[in-house]
Each structure stands twice: as C-alpha cells, then as structure tokens.
Amino acid sequence: MRRREAWTRGELLQHQSDGLRSLIAFAKSRSPLYAERMRRISSGSVHLQDLPIIEKKEVMSEFERIVTDPRINLADVNRHMEGVEDDECYMGEYRVLTTAGSTGRKGVFVYDRNAWTCLMAGVERGAGLVGIAIGRERTASIGSGSQLHLSYRRAVSEPEGSGLRLILKVTDPLQRLTDELNSFQPGILHAYPSMAGLLAEEQINGRLDIHPGIIVTGAEILAEETARKIREVWGGVLFNSYSCTEGILGVECGFHQGIHIFEDLCIVEVVDERHNPVPDGAPGHHLLMTNLYQQTMPLIRYLISDMVTVSADACPCGRPFRTIKEIHGRVEETIYLGGVNTGKVPVWPAHLSSMIMARQGVLEFQVELIQGRLEIDIVADPGISRKDTASVLTRNIKEGIESLGAVCPPLRIRFLDRIVREAGKMGKKQTVVLRAPDSGPLAGAEH
Ligand SMILES: [Zn+2]
C-alpha cells in the first residue's frame, strides 16, 4: 500500500480497472444475485457506468444471495451480533459490522480475514499520513463503544502495545470522559467533531487538562468554527477523516488540502440525483462505491447518501488519490425549502452548521423541521446571554437561508443542557432530524 502512494494517476486507474474486472468475475461466479444481475456484462471489457447500482435496502433484503459463502445467513449473523464480545468473529472467520442506522435501516456487513487485513492496513496507512506510529503513542478514541461499529472494532483489532489505547463511549457523561482523559493523558485523540468541540470547551473551562499533539476527527460534519476552536485550544494538528462501514477510508495528509480517498481500495463515483457523474470541483448528490477488497460481500456501485465535493486540484503531496474538499452532509438530512422565485431549494446540514456554529458560545445544535417550522435546539456555553444568542442566530439563519435563494420559514430556538446521543445510532449526533413529509426526494427509502 505504501508503494501505491507513489503511483501516477494513470497507474492507479489501471489498478482500479484490473481490480474491477476480477471483482466482477468473482462476484458473477459466486454470488447468485450478481450472477443474475450481471449476466449480460462480460468481465473482459467493463465500463463502470454500465453496471447496475445497488442500494442498502436491496443488500439487506437479498443478503444471502449477495454473499459469496453460502454458509452465511442473516438470521445467524443477527444472533452473533447480539452477544459479540471484543474481536470475536462470526463462524470463527468473519468480522461483522453494522452502520449507525442514522439514515433508516441498519446495514450489516461481513468482512472476511483478507478484507479485514486490507481494511486494517488502510487504517495504518491513514495513521502514516497523519504522522502516527501505531503502537507507540497513547491514543484515546471516543466513539460508539460498540463492537459492531468500525470506529471501535478497528481500535480493538489493532496490534497495540498494552496500556497505550483508551477506548471511551461517546454516550458516557462528559464528566466521566473528562476524568478518564485527564488521567490517561493521550498524545493522540480520535473523536467525532461534535465531541472534540465539547472537549475543547471543557479544556477552556479548566475541567479538562490534556495536550494531544494530534487530533483526528471523523463521521460527522466538521464545522469551520469547531475546527478553529480545536486548533486554538490544543495547538495540535487537526486531521479530518472520512470512512464508512462499507469500506471507504480516507484522511487528510500534512498539506491539509482535503481528505485523500484511498482509491486503490475503493472506486468512488460522485454523482447527481440520476447517478450521472459530477465533475471534480462540483458538489455531488450521493456516492457510488465499489469496494475492490471485499470478496465475501461484493459491493459494486453501492449507493452511499453522502454529499461531497471532490477537489479538482491534485494535492501537493503527490499522492494519486483525489481529495474530498467538502462534506455537505447526508441526503436524508437535507431540508428542502420553498424557493424565493419557484421550486424547492436544498439546505444542506453543512449550510446550517456554518450559520449556527459561527456564533461564539454555541457548542452543539440539532435542527428539526416540524410542520414547516424550523426548530433549532442549541447547547450553549452557560456564560453567554441566551437572549442575544437567540437574536443573532435568528438573524444569521434567516440571512443564510435567504442567500441560498429560499424563503426562511418561522424559526424557534430552544436552549438545552445537552443533545442526547443515542447508543443505537452509534452515539453520532444527527445534525438534522427530518420527518418524512418535509424531507428530500430519497425520503422513505431506506438508505
Ligand atoms: Zn496530500
């Protein structure tokens, strides 16, 4: 994998097309579903765009026909997941992960030993980009705390020196997290951006006293304001990352020009609503991922509802992997508001995040659209004036929404002590909570 970092873009593309050809040949010969769906596709000369797209709901409903080991069955996998401990494998061979289910039905993904080795090597490559020598530094990871979630599983699966790894649950009380971190004193901190932001505030207030040299965030939108606060508080280097349970891995390099997607492991297509390719530099509506290292559960043009913009410029580090310049949020968390002139205007989670988090003293927020009204829950620093904050936020949001060409609906701002992180959703904070009638074109679909 290190050698591939020195490849030219052309060498990478050749590797992708070779990988795709052998993946298709394998999937057609071993997976009944792909055999049926791709019977007209010859694995000799394959064009990615000719291949059918697959969504999570199909993967789950056709689970036994997708997997290439006929012994695997979803009911058994579900039973295994109920009692799984540490790095335990299903049938002694397969590691099972689930998605957070924050966008509907949970997905279940089975990794064979070879795929897991690739994934872990990818994680280690990511550590290398960030400048971490795995097993050398005290590392604290605050994540879901579930064996079934990638953030936790890869941490328990890493060949760590004992005592070097602290794994904490994001759903634990902040006080407990602060105490544990104070006594552990991590050199490296991994956390969801919202949690890293809260911890930075704890450090400002003097309750937390840690000095990590490297902070890695991922799995949620990192607001510019939160990033600035994290950098100011710790003076450490902040790296944002992007990964998904289905197999994409990516992290920033030292040039901080965006998140490198490890494209030797997965082919990632950025597409519009109709699955047509979007040029680099323009925002996409969702992603189509083809995992090149996962044979037990082939995922070819699998739909992932993240909206991202890939940079049109190559990173100065010279790696052949494209970078994600911006993550706008999930399709299911996009609010559609009436346009000033006509039609509907999408408001992305990242838009709301920049309008709201720019206000000093706002620690966390969550937005819900209820019967045409935007309800905004705010967790704020107790020292700030709620009245002033509410009026500034109202103005910011109104101006922000209008600048997008939409009519701003009535707003209601509510101050809370905390926003509940649901363990069932892997403790991730949802930026926007939507009920079916108000959400976007993919609402109701189970992504
Ligand atoms: Zn780079």
Side-chain angles (χ1 to χ4, degrees), residues 42-92:
S42 117
S43 44
S45 65
V46 180
H47 297 286
L48 195 55
Q49 272 94 29
D50 299 338
L51 304 176
I53 286 156
I54 193 156
E55 298 188 24
K56 192 202 282 173
K57 61 181 175 188
E58 293 171 272
V59 169
M60 294 313 297
S61 63
E62 299 274 8
F63 193 83
E64 283 88 4
R65 295 180 67 229
I66 284 187
V67 291
T68 56
D69 178 344
R71 296 172 302 158
I72 298 175
N73 116 9
L74 187 56
D76 284 348
V77 174
N78 282 331
R79 266 193 297 279
H80 162 79
M81 291 197 294
E82 280 168 24
V84 62
E85 282 181 19
D86 296 328
D87 202 20
E88 193 189 339
C89 293
Y90 166 63
M91 296 200 302

Side-chain angles (χ1 to χ4, degrees), residues 253-255 260 315-319 323:
C253 72
F255 285 91
H260 281 288
C315 182
C317 73
R319 289 184 178 85
T323 56

Side-chain angles (χ1 to χ4, degrees), residues 103 219 221 242-244 246 248 268-271 283-288 303-309 324 326-333 428 442 447:
T103 56
I221 289 174
Y242 176 84
S243 58
C244 69
E246 293 88 339
I248 302 178
V268 176
E269 300 169 75
V270 182
V271 295
H285 182 267
H286 55 269
L287 305 175
L288 298 174
L303 193 150
I304 293 175
S305 58
D306 284 330
M307 301 179 291
V308 310
T309 298
I324 296 176
E326 270 183 278
I327 301 173
H328 310 292
R330 304 203 76 139
V331 175
E332 298 84 350
E333 294 187 32
K428 279 198 213 175
L442 288 175
H447 299 295

